[in-house]
Amino acid sequence: MTYRLKKGDTVLVLSGKDKGKKNKIIKVLRAEDRYVVEGTNMVKKHQRPSQKFQGGIIDMPVALQGSKLALVCPRCSKPTRVGFSTPEGGEKVRSCKKCNEIIDKV
Ligand SMILES: [Zn+2]
């Protein structure tokens, strides 16, 4: 099984209230194909007081569906679909469908 997106990727939000935002994936929920993207899909949560935190309302990013996200290619800086290929004798890589550049190893 290979995955299109991973932690540290910059993604573009394709739908929802944060449509058009570009930010980094900070957490991946593989089983659900959901991704927490920094500063997007924020919801207010009530937090109980703890030793470190006095309690109150905090903003938390909530995971977005993978289908709502497009990878922003680090080579051409465009939102793109991710392709997979295996160079002869090499390891499987992710590549950009727009510029055809290799992004990284899977
Ligand atoms: Zn590209």
Side-chain angles (χ1 to χ4, degrees):
M1 185 84 192
T2 49
Y3 300 97
R4 292 187 310 124
L5 300 171
K6 55 188 182 184
K7 194 174 168 181
D9 280 349
T10 299
V11 290
L12 174 72
V13 180
L14 299 174
S15 63
K17 63 175 180 172
D18 287 314
K19 188 176 172 180
K21 266 194 189 174
K22 278 183 202 169
N23 247 328
K24 229 174 216 169
I25 293 176
I26 51 175
K27 196 176 173 191
V28 176
L29 305 167
R30 283 284 180 232
E32 300 157 57
D33 188 32
R34 279 151 58 89
Y35 304 84
V36 180
V37 181
E38 199 174 47
T40 58
N41 208 24
M42 303 296 277
V43 294
K44 299 222 179 285
K45 280 213 167 139
H46 292 268
Q47 186 88 8
R48 284 173 184 231
S50 68
Q51 281 182 340
K52 283 186 192 152
F53 187 69
Q54 60 173 10
I57 296 168
I58 55 164
D59 287 318
M60 289 262 298
V62 172
L64 289 159
Q65 272 296 325
S67 59
K68 289 185 177 175
L69 302 171
L71 179 70
V72 175
C73 172
R75 310 276 177 247
C76 65
S77 307
K78 288 178 186 153
T80 182
R81 288 178 52 213
V82 179
F84 295 103
S85 60
T86 310
E88 214 171 315
E91 288 178 68
K92 196 168 189 177
V93 295
R94 295 194 302 172
S95 59
C96 169
K97 294 260 190 188
K98 288 252 166 76
C99 65
N100 290 317
E101 289 285 333
I102 290 169
I103 296 167
D104 59 6
K105 283 177 190 163
V106 172

